[in-house]
Amino acid sequence: HSLYISTDSESGSGDKIYIGMYKRRGDFDGGVRISFNSMWEVLDRCNGYSYPTNIPMERNKIWKISRTVTHISISCNGVEVYKKSVVAGSCSYSEGYFKDLDVDIKFWSSDTASDRFTTGMSVSRV
């Protein structure tokens, strides 16, 4: 299961990609925030904060956020910049998230970076 998001925000702008993942019955099942600060910051609700250093420098970026039953990974312009385990017992931040692969994605109102998104079938504007 992958979500593709396009952005044109500059590093240091303070913009954010901020998504929540919800089980079909509406229960929160995790989320991801990517902050365009002077130091790149990724927050997932299982592992807490990470600070990837290999983010491509181009302004226009295509982000791929993928979930499996064992991992969450983030790629930017084809470069994997983040991969963490989300299996039971590995979540240091919040145990119990990322258990369901059949989820609805919601862009939170504080998302200021996402321009377009797709799940591979069609492209939509945020």
Side-chain angles (χ1 to χ4, degrees), residues 95-109:
E95 209 49 64
Y97 291 128
F98 297 111
K99 297 224 183 261
D100 198 341
L101 289 179
D102 187 21
V103 295
D104 291 323
I105 301 294
K106 295 183 181 177
F107 288 84
W108 293 355
S109 60

Side-chain angles (χ1 to χ4, degrees), residues 6-124:
S6 66
T7 64
D8 64 0
S9 297
E10 293 186 43
S11 177
S13 69
D15 285 344
K16 295 176 188 68
I17 296 172
Y18 214 159
I19 61 168
M21 300 171 195
Y22 294 83
K23 298 175 187 176
R24 295 291 175 184
R25 62 182 185 273
D27 297 335
F28 184 68
D29 192 47
V32 173
R33 183 179 78 197
I34 302 170
S35 297
F36 292 65
N37 297 323
S38 56
M39 177 183 286
W40 288 93
E41 176 185 277
V42 174
L43 169 66
D44 84 54
R45 300 303 286 185
C46 177
N47 296 291
Y49 291 95
S50 293
Y51 301 93
T53 58
N54 59 336
I55 305 288
M57 296 302 297
E58 297 89 0
R59 179 176 177 161
N60 293 316
K61 294 176 173 55
I62 303 293
W63 300 86
K64 178 183 176 186
I65 301 172
S66 301
R67 282 180 58 174
T68 68
V69 293
T70 60
H71 288 87
I72 184 164
S73 64
I74 301 173
S75 297
C76 180
N77 291 356
V79 175
E80 186 173 77
V81 298
Y82 182 82
K83 185 173 185 178
K84 296 285 185 170
S85 175
V86 292
V87 296
S90 72
C91 289
S92 60
Y93 185 69
S94 294
E95 209 49 64
Y97 291 128
F98 297 111
K99 297 224 183 261
D100 198 341
L101 289 179
D102 187 21
V103 295
D104 291 323
I105 301 294
K106 295 183 181 177
F107 288 84
W108 293 355
S109 60
S110 54
D111 184 316
T112 55
S114 300
D115 297 323
R116 297 178 185 270
F117 72 94
T118 183
T119 57
M121 299 299 287
S122 62
V123 176
S124 301

